[in-house]
Amino acid sequence: MTIQARQMLVPSSKYTIKCPYAMTAEYITFHNTANDASANNEISYMRNNNATVSYHFAVDDKEVVQGLPTNRNAWHCGDGDHGTGNRKSIGVEVCYSKSGGERYRKAEALAIKFIAQLLKERGWGVERVKKHQEWSGKYCPHRVLDEGRWDEVKTAIATELKALGGKSTTPTKPTTSSPSSSSAVSGSLKSKVDGLRFYSKPSWEDKDVVGTVNKGIGFPTVVEKVKVGSAYQYKVKNSKGATYYITASDKYVDVTGSVKS
Ligand SMILES: [Zn+2]
């Protein structure tokens, strides 16, 4: 049976805030809301505020609510303006993760079925499903991670997908950021684009944005490079020795100097 998402779309007058770019999605990102609001309330809240935080779907124990069209980007991955998560993935928030319990279990079960349906519609395999953590290192979906169940969730999606007659693929172990993949760097970093954001914290969110650098500008010192999904998180210092963080793929930054692994 097809799951119908109930649409409660952000008005187009808010596209510049919530979903400024056209998108051809390549991935689905799985989140936990980290609160106890219903899907209806999650989407209403997102629609009504003016924060540059947005996602396509919220799922609770009863329904799937859609807040953005899937051909527009959303700000849900914390991997920056040019990040693959923010620019190429459909965001699915699973509700009631703060307290957990029966209604979270049901919400997660519905989300698993719904994500399998999105994959089937697109002819995708389960390898297209990423957890938020894979894009930016943020500890999300927190409840799934706390319970050590990410592989189980992916397997459940793969099983649903198979039942729908979709592409059958063995879930692959996702690549995640881990301290073991960090390297010490002595070099400098330059932005290849205008408006590259830098942050006060490694696991950053919009509230942690410190500023932006334009093309050709950067930081004299890079002290650490950590693989985060398809990008790297750089720990950098300015000329006064203050520390910041930038997450970007090689397309957006030039790092010169030596990397000691
Ligand atoms: Zn998340």
Side-chain angles (χ1 to χ4, degrees):
M1 199 179 70
T2 309
I3 300 162
Q4 273 312 335
R6 180 163 63 84
Q7 292 199 326
M8 212 159 68
L9 299 179
V10 163
S12 54
S13 58
K14 275 200 174 178
Y15 276 16
T16 52
I17 302 168
K18 298 294 181 180
C19 56
Y21 301 103
M23 175 172 86
T24 304
E26 293 174 12
Y27 300 97
I28 294 166
T29 303
F30 188 106
H31 301 269
N32 278 171
T33 57
N35 67 45
D36 286 331
S38 66
N40 183 76
N41 290 355
E42 278 297 328
I43 296 292
S44 302
Y45 176 75
M46 188 271 286
R47 260 167 56 117
N48 294 335
N49 69 37
N50 286 322
T52 51
V53 174
S54 55
Y55 31 86
H56 298 90
F57 298 100
V59 185
D60 67 16
D61 56 336
K62 307 225 159 49
E63 63 173 344
V64 179
V65 183
Q66 180 173 14
L68 292 175
T70 54
N71 62 359
R72 306 291 308 175
N73 87 299
W75 303 121
H76 56 106
C77 292
D79 61 348
D81 293 12
H82 302 279
T84 307
N86 277 341
R87 295 292 295 275
K88 292 279 177 197
S89 85
I90 296 168
V92 178
E93 292 279 355
V94 184
C95 296
Y96 302 138
S97 66
K98 188 179 175 196
S99 298
E102 187 60 15
R103 59 183 187 170
Y104 174 77
R105 294 277 161 234
K106 286 185 175 167
E108 190 187 275
L110 182 56
I112 286 167
K113 280 187 194 293
F114 181 65
I115 290 169
Q117 183 180 303
L118 292 175
L119 294 173
K120 172 67 169 57
E121 285 166 4
R122 289 163 177 77
W124 292 350
V126 74
E127 74 282 353
R128 302 277 192 144
V129 181
K130 306 285 180 190
K131 54 181 150 78
H132 181 175
Q133 189 185 43
E134 288 171 72
W135 300 120
S136 67
K138 182 169 175 174
Y139 194 73
C140 177
H142 72 98
R143 178 162 292 279
V144 175
L145 297 174
D146 277 350
E147 295 172 0
R149 296 172 45 251
W150 179 240
D151 286 347
E152 182 192 315
V153 167
K154 276 190 97 171
T155 302
I157 295 168
T159 304
E160 285 292 337
L161 181 58
K162 213 175 157 193
L164 293 172
K167 195 176 162 189
S168 129
T169 32
T170 328
T172 49
K173 242 197 156 49
T175 53
T176 53
S177 67
S178 74
S180 62
S181 63
S182 76
S183 320
V185 182
S186 61
S188 61
L189 177 148
K190 260 188 203 165
S191 179
K192 291 190 198 173
V193 292
D194 286 336
L196 184 78
R197 298 201 219 181
F198 58 98
Y199 292 79
S200 58
K201 290 180 188 160
S203 185
W204 38 267
E205 297 173 24
D206 282 332
K207 65 177 167 60
D208 301 322
V209 174
V210 178
T212 59
V213 285
N214 285 340
K215 196 173 175 178
I217 311 294
F219 292 86
T221 313
V222 181
V223 291
E224 195 183 50
K225 179 180 182 179
V226 182
K227 183 120 178 75
V228 180
S230 58
Y232 290 98
Q233 176 187 279
Y234 297 97
K235 185 176 177 182
V236 298
K237 284 182 192 286
N238 69 7
S239 57
K240 290 177 182 152
T243 299
Y244 303 109
Y245 296 86
I246 290 176
T247 302
S249 68
D250 295 342
K251 250 160 82 179
Y252 302 109
V253 291
D254 250 336
V255 177
T256 51
S258 57
V259 176
K260 290 166 274 174
S261 36

